[in-house]
């Protein structure tokens, strides 16, 4: 956990056979998440039949938790869900974690972050981690909708749906 170290890797093999990697990189490692401890999200992808590689790109600066999935939608859109922490929400009823997605419509050359900020309420009697909504995973359903499951500390998964991977329904 030293600054500059690469951490968790989430791979994706797209339909054309190219590889896409979503990585966490330690920017700073202090005791307080999002204040002096930062894990940023970076992207690295293959091109030309995995003969060339892109230069790593910074996708998100802050403190992210474990990335559990990345998919390619039928439309060709690359999608990766993630959660990040906002220390100013430390005592918020939904915790300090917020779920969103990153997406690319050009094979990973450029990326956008969804405007969605998904949360789930905390169980006020729970004595463990109080982050709220964390570690989202997504799949594309046969009808074209994208289904997101979100882990919470309530003992239940929460869900959200999207037509495009960018705009999401309120979690429930």
């Amino acid at each position: 956990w030293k600054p500059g170290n690469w951490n968790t890797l989430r791979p994706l093999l797209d339909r054309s056979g190219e590889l896409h990697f979503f990585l966490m990189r330690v920017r700073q490692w202090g005791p307080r998440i999002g204040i002096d401890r930062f894990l940023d999200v970076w992207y690295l992808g293959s091109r030309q039949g995995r003969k060339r590689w892109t230069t790593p790109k910074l996708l998100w600066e802050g403190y992210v938790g474990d990335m559990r999935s990345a998919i390619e939608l039928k439309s060709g859109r690359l999608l990766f869900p993630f959660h990040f922490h906002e220390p100013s929400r430390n005592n918020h009823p939904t915790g300090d974690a917020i779920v969103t997605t990153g997406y690319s419509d050009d094979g990973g050359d450029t990326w956008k972050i969804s405007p969605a900020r998904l949360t789930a309420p905390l169980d006020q009697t729970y004595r463990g981690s109080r982050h709220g909504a964390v570690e989202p995973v997504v799949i594309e359903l046969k009808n074209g909708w994208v289904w997101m499951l979100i882990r919470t500390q309530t003992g239940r998964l929460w869900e959200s749906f999207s037509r495009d991977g960018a705009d999401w329904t309120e979690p429930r």
Side-chain angles (χ1 to χ4, degrees):
W1 297 104
K2 295 179 182 175
N5 282 1
W6 297 96
N7 195 316
T8 305
L9 166 76
R10 177 59 47 203
L12 169 64
L13 179 66
D14 71 20
R15 287 189 292 274
S16 68
E18 298 295 354
L19 285 167
H20 306 272
F21 295 118
F22 303 91
L23 305 111
M24 293 178 3
R25 187 170 194 195
V26 179
R27 180 165 27 110
Q28 186 177 336
W29 197 258
R32 297 166 300 174
I33 291 175
I35 296 171
D36 56 10
R37 181 188 305 178
F38 299 99
L39 282 172
D40 301 326
V41 178
W42 289 74
Y43 167 80
L44 173 69
S46 72
R47 303 293 184 267
Q48 300 175 349
R50 295 191 303 261
K51 293 178 184 154
R52 294 192 54 229
W53 292 88
T54 64
T55 301
K57 296 175 188 165
L58 179 63
L59 299 185
W60 181 265
E61 263 187 318
Y63 184 90
V64 298
D66 287 338
M67 297 178 295
R68 300 289 185 192
S69 73
I71 64 172
E72 180 183 16
L73 302 179
K74 292 173 192 160
S75 68
R77 176 172 277 183
L78 302 178
L79 178 66
F80 80 96
F82 65 100
H83 77 273
F84 62 93
H85 296 267
E86 285 190 348
S88 63
R89 293 172 48 90
N90 192 31
N91 292 314
H92 196 277
T94 61
D96 68 350
I98 297 172
V99 169
T100 194
T101 55
Y103 60 95
S104 173
D105 293 317
D106 57 12
D109 288 337
T110 60
W111 289 89
K112 293 180 181 174
I113 302 298
S114 165
R117 298 296 182 257
L118 309 177
T119 61
L122 295 172
D123 175 349
Q124 297 303 321
T125 64
Y126 184 68
R127 297 292 176 230
S129 167
R130 301 195 47 82
H131 298 307
V134 296
E135 300 176 357
V137 295
V138 292
I139 61 168
E140 188 171 17
L141 303 173
K142 288 181 182 180
N143 66 5
W145 282 84
V146 184
W147 182 30
M148 179 189 292
L149 289 175
I150 303 167
R151 185 172 77 81
T152 72
Q153 286 82 44
T154 63
R156 298 180 183 184
L157 295 173
W158 282 60
E159 65 182 356
S160 180
F161 294 90
S162 175
R163 279 264 187 224
D164 61 3
D167 297 311
W168 293 89
T169 63
E170 192 65 31
R172 57 186 172 94

